[in-house]
Amino acid sequence: MRQMIAGNWKMNGTLAGIAAYAAALGQGVAGVDLLICPPYPLIGPLRAACAPGIAVGAQDCAVEQSGAHTGDVAAGLLAEIGASHVILGHSERRADHNERSALVRDKSRTAIAAGLTPIICVGETLAEREAGEAETVVRAQLAGSLPDGFTGLVAYEPVWAIGTGKTATETDVQAMHATIRAALKKQLGEPGETMLILYGGSVKPTNAASLLATSEVGGALVGGASLTATDFMAIAEAARR
């Protein structure tokens, strides 16, 4: 199965840097799906600059299709300007914007209706892991965030390993991805058997190969390392190998 390497730029990136970044990506990496999710204003320019085989996505979308919702961006508009995917339920959205799983589920429905592929994020905090609640928390997030008939991807992001420099061990990752796979099979049936499960949590060129070789890891959701094209491509090359 082809792995996906997705870059989440978060609130970073500039219009001036788009051309050089896209040129560094070139045609991508054979056998690996690449996706870049920049801030909203850069989606169209990045789509225009990147090779056709490199996908561009968004970091969130509104639950409503249109209307008086100042500051929100409709999934349909994101698709219109070239987005193919949308990250939903990222831990920073859940924490900073108080987004609950029910809202993530509703956003997912809206995104799918607009033709976008959702990447639903789940993951536990350090306190939840130390309390022995990690798997319970993740299963609950999956149950609440994925609508019936969900078609998309899931990303496991241990909250304690995002932007902290800490990385879950291969044993930690394998155990949680196995838990997620079992939950997907139970919740979705046959589609859950092959749905990609990305790992996100301080993925870098130095640890990408071992993480991507771990059982049930279908790719990576890359944060800081995706801001530098050479680092992002090194992670993609690790997926190819």
Side-chain angles (χ1 to χ4, degrees), residues 20 31 34 47-48 82 84-86 97-98 121 123 127 137 140 146 174-175 178 190 196 203 212 235:
L34 298 186
R47 175 64 281 156
S84 58
H85 295 68
V86 60
H97 297 270
N98 199 34
C121 299
V137 167
L146 272 57
Q174 182 174 353
E190 185 175 350
L196 285 183
V203 179
L212 292 169
I235 293 170

Side-chain angles (χ1 to χ4, degrees), residues 53-79:
I54 297 172
V56 177
Q59 299 172 21
D60 187 42
C61 71
V63 67
E64 299 86 0
Q65 297 181 7
S66 62
H69 306 288
T70 302
D72 289 339
V73 179
L77 178 59
L78 295 173

